[in-house]
Amino acid sequence: MKRIIALILCLCLLFSLSACTSKPKTIVGTWECTNVSEMAGLMMGVAGDLSGMGFLGDLGSNIDISIELTFKPDGTYQMDMAASMMFIGTETETTSGTYSWSNDVLIMDGEVTDFKLRGDKLTISEKTEDGYVLRLEFKRVD
């Protein structure tokens, strides 16, 4: 009887440990941009969600922007951007390239990209030519 109880306990422990394993982190999938912020050093910052672009003041109330980023398992990515502006219409742009991701290092088109991946949230930061830091925050949609 003791052997059966010990066997049952071992099996329960084995199944409970296998249930505790978490999913491996991956960026493969489709991500929707939820927030954009731009900073110059540590002194100035503007931020806002993409619907209405509130941080642009009165001009921003006439602009709706959407950005979708898809990382494919074959090492390619595609970014689809659309901006709808009153009186001008909708402008769209698609860019694509290659990426690699390992050991928490993301390389896009041959350049190391500053990023953070926490659960279903991805943040990508990039320094612009004029010295600002552009930060895009994404949430996983698939």
Side-chain angles (χ1 to χ4, degrees):
M1 184 72 172
K2 289 181 183 180
R3 288 184 188 176
I4 293 174
I5 292 174
L7 179 63
I8 291 172
L9 286 175
C10 287
L11 288 174
C12 288
L13 180 63
L14 179 67
F15 285 120
S16 67
L17 289 177
S18 66
C20 289
T21 59
S22 61
K23 289 196 249 178
K25 291 194 319 183
T26 181
I27 61 170
V28 172
T30 301
W31 302 82
E32 180 181 69
C33 191
T34 58
N35 192 48
V36 175
S37 59
E38 186 175 51
M39 296 185 169
L42 299 174
M43 302 303 290
M44 183 186 114
V46 293
D49 64 31
L50 295 176
S51 178
M53 297 296 284
F55 66 89
L56 294 176
D58 291 336
L59 176 64
S61 64
N62 297 321
I63 301 173
D64 281 322
I65 295 177
S66 67
I67 302 171
E68 189 173 274
L69 179 59
T70 302
F71 292 99
K72 299 176 186 173
D74 66 358
T76 61
Y77 73 90
Q78 179 173 318
M79 183 181 294
D80 297 309
M81 299 169 278
S84 298
M85 297 167 270
M86 188 179 283
F87 306 118
I88 296 175
T90 301
E91 296 288 327
T92 60
E93 182 178 338
T94 298
T95 59
S96 59
T98 59
Y99 79 94
S100 63
W101 183 69
S102 64
N103 299 325
D104 288 335
V105 175
L106 175 63
I107 300 173
M108 296 176 72
D109 296 325
E111 294 185 23
V112 175
T113 303
D114 182 16
F115 86 105
K116 290 180 184 171
L117 177 62
R118 290 192 178 123
D120 288 341
K121 295 185 180 187
L122 172 67
T123 303
I124 297 177
S125 300
E126 185 174 327
K127 193 168 188 172
T128 64
E129 294 173 2
D130 54 0
Y132 289 89
V133 175
L134 182 65
R135 190 175 82 191
L136 302 170
E137 296 173 7
F138 294 87
K139 68 175 181 177
R140 186 182 301 271
V141 292
D142 71 348

